[in-house]
Amino acid sequence: MKKTSRPIALLAAAIMAAACNPVTTMPQLKSLQSSALMYAAIVALGALLIAFIIATIIPYKGGKDNSYVARRIVYIVTAIVAIAGYFLFNHLYVRPCIKNAGFASQFDSTNLIGVGIIFGAYVILGLLIALCFRRSKFATVFLKPKKK
């Protein structure tokens, strides 16, 4: 590690340690689990909103239009970033606050359930939006683009 990055790493570790409330009882764990699952739903909706906005911004191209490929790539990349960000935040920032190994194991399963919630909500809500707005640019993520 370079000498310039050591103070930054130490500062980040100190901030994480200071901001962490230790989880030592079952009611604290249940509260943390329910909060994590609510954050999963919020992350899914936020990622879907970002994907919808970016898909709407990508313009149609004249002639042989392959802009739907770019929209599909944006949709998939947004899902991967949202899932990875949620998982890594919970695993690297929240989980070290749990002192009991059994509680940490329960939170790991909650973290995986949250990833499933993000993926499921992202795909199902994205498909519903595409079906509701068939003529929108976002619909080309799931549906075959219609030739004019």
Side-chain angles (χ1 to χ4, degrees):
M1 188 182 305
K2 293 182 179 180
K3 286 187 176 185
T4 56
S5 63
R6 280 188 200 149
I8 295 171
L10 290 174
L11 179 64
I15 290 171
M16 287 176 59
C20 181
N21 293 329
V23 176
T24 55
T25 64
M26 186 58 86
Q28 288 176 330
L29 177 66
K30 293 297 179 187
S31 174
L32 183 64
Q33 287 176 324
S34 63
S35 296
L37 295 178
M38 284 189 288
Y39 289 141
I42 292 169
V43 166
L45 292 175
L48 190 61
L49 179 67
I50 290 170
F52 183 81
I53 291 170
I54 294 174
T56 305
I57 290 173
I58 296 175
Y60 288 118
K61 297 175 184 168
K64 188 175 183 215
D65 186 20
N66 286 333
S67 61
Y68 66 93
V69 175
R71 290 186 194 91
R72 289 178 183 171
I73 291 171
V74 165
Y75 185 78
I76 292 169
V77 168
T78 306
I80 291 170
V81 168
I83 289 171
Y86 174 82
F87 181 82
L88 289 175
F89 175 77
N90 278 339
H91 191 72
L92 298 176
Y93 182 72
V94 179
R95 189 177 184 277
C97 298
I98 302 172
K99 302 302 179 195
N100 188 336
F103 290 171
S105 176
Q106 288 180 5
F107 185 75
D108 286 343
S109 64
T110 302
N111 197 11
L112 292 176
I113 292 169
V115 167
I117 288 172
I118 292 173
F119 182 74
Y122 190 77
V123 170
I124 291 170
L125 291 175
L127 183 60
L128 287 175
I129 291 171
L131 290 173
C132 288
F133 303 107
R134 287 183 184 259
R135 298 213 180 262
S136 70
K137 292 180 181 179
F138 185 75
T140 61
V141 170
F142 288 102
L143 307 174
K144 188 175 183 180
K146 296 192 178 198
K147 296 185 180 186
K148 295 180 181 180

